[in-house]
Amino acid sequence: MIGSSRKLFDVLKIASRIAPTDAPVLLLGENGTGKDLLAHGIHRNSRRSTKPFVTLNCGAIPAELLESELFGYESGAFTGAAKSKPGKLELADGGTVFFDEMIDQGSLREDLYYRLNVIELTLPPLRERREDIE
């Protein structure tokens, strides 16, 4: 991430302290603020860095298919399941799962939200970091 503003520095400082831990992190911010870059940075600086980084674009998955994307399915589990498919959680196996585009008002299960929201980091938009604009 490029920038020298105090707001960005503060977020990156916290991220560097979080990376070596196993604490779940909820990254918030508008589109284009760099949540995916920060997630990759945290992963690269963690004990999980040699394990997979798996992205799940929740905004592109219909609600009725989210469970099978997360947990996978076995051949014959439902009509059209000709072969087994591992879920994203299985693919990550000890690595990092990045849930992209997950939060819409009221669309996330409350229990999952509280499991993910152990540490919350909000990336400030560029309009709040004018000193980062060349």
Side-chain angles (χ1 to χ4, degrees):
M1 299 187 80
I2 299 173
S4 58
S5 70
R6 183 68 188 181
K7 286 185 177 189
L8 182 60
F9 177 78
D10 290 344
V11 170
L12 295 177
K13 184 178 175 182
I14 294 168
S16 71
R17 292 174 45 203
I18 294 168
T21 73
D22 289 329
V25 180
L26 183 62
L27 300 177
L28 301 175
E30 297 175 8
N31 286 339
T33 55
K35 294 179 295 290
D36 56 339
L37 291 174
L38 185 57
H40 274 96
I42 291 171
H43 175 77
R44 278 192 305 274
N45 290 289
S46 75
R47 294 183 293 233
R48 300 173 305 281
S49 63
T50 59
K51 302 288 185 172
F53 181 94
V54 177
T55 299
L56 181 63
N57 185 343
C58 298
I61 301 170
E64 58 273 3
L65 297 180
L66 185 59
E67 184 176 340
S68 63
E69 283 294 317
L70 283 173
F71 303 107
Y73 53 84
E74 296 298 320
S75 175
F78 53 85
T79 304
K83 61 181 182 173
S84 297
K85 178 184 173 191
K88 299 290 186 180
L89 297 177
E90 183 179 348
L91 292 173
D93 190 26
T96 299
V97 179
F98 177 57
F99 295 93
D100 197 12
E101 300 295 331
M102 196 156 196
I103 307 282
D104 279 333
Q105 197 168 19
S107 68
L108 185 65
R109 281 182 37 180
E110 190 174 353
D111 61 329
L112 179 56
Y113 173 79
Y114 287 110
R115 286 178 188 261
L116 297 175
N117 193 17
V118 173
I119 298 173
E120 184 177 299
L121 283 177
T122 301
L123 285 153
L126 196 54
R127 70 177 172 278
E128 294 179 9
R129 315 182 274 123
R130 295 204 183 271
E131 59 271 35
D132 289 339
I133 302 172
E134 290 189 17

